[in-house]
């Protein structure tokens, strides 16, 4: 018999290993719970634009399902690039464009 999810399962310690802070965990799980809720609401319409739950869960609550997905690694957090990284990428792209424009086209 499957264990019913509760406040102690999944453990917060395991969830916090997957993200950098509690704020990120709350934001990530809330965003995914909204997507799961939207998925269940649009099932009869046949739209199919939203990804269904990625885990088999005993829980019917979208937030619990979202946290279970985070625990097993189906939903991952990736940090946004910093301003310096964006500037470096833009400079590299500009340099590559200039180099391509300066080199003669070989036919």
């Amino acid at each position: 018999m499957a264990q019913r999810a509760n406040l102690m399962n999944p453990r917060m310690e395991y969830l916090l290993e997957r993200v950098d802070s509690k704020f990120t965990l709350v934001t990530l799980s809330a965003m995914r719970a909204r997507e799961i809720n939207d998925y269940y609401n649009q099932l009869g319409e046949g739209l199919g634009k939203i990804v269904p739950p990625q885990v088999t869960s005993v829980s019917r609550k979208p937030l619990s399902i979202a946290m279970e997905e985070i625990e097993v690694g189906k939903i991952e957090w990736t940090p946004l690039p910093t301003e310096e990284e964006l500037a470096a990428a833009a400079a590299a792209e500009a340099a590559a464009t200039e180099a391509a424009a300066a080199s003669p086209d070989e036919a």
Side-chain angles (χ1 to χ4, degrees):
M1 181 175 187
Q3 181 182 4
R4 182 161 176 90
N6 57 30
L7 291 177
M8 299 303 289
N9 188 16
R11 306 276 309 168
M12 282 297 154
E13 294 83 16
Y14 302 134
L15 293 174
L16 289 173
E17 290 174 359
R18 302 264 182 201
V19 296
D20 69 335
S21 68
K22 292 178 185 178
F23 177 77
T24 304
L25 177 62
V26 169
T27 305
L28 183 63
S29 58
M31 289 173 64
R32 181 60 183 145
R34 281 189 211 106
E35 289 177 357
I36 292 169
N37 196 27
D38 289 344
Y39 170 77
Y40 285 129
N41 288 336
Q42 62 92 32
L43 270 180
E45 299 170 13
L47 299 175
K49 293 181 181 178
I50 302 172
V51 177
Q54 301 296 303
V55 294
T56 304
S57 177
V58 178
S59 177
R60 296 183 321 196
K61 297 180 179 177
L63 187 58
S64 297
I65 296 170
M67 290 204 177
E68 289 175 15
E69 288 179 347
I70 294 169
E71 180 187 33
V72 298
K74 295 289 184 174
I75 304 297
E76 295 182 359
W77 167 79
T78 56
L80 293 174
T82 63
E83 293 291 328
E84 293 82 19
E85 292 171 343
L86 289 173
E93 186 176 332
T97 303
E98 288 178 11
S103 67
D105 292 332
E106 295 179 19

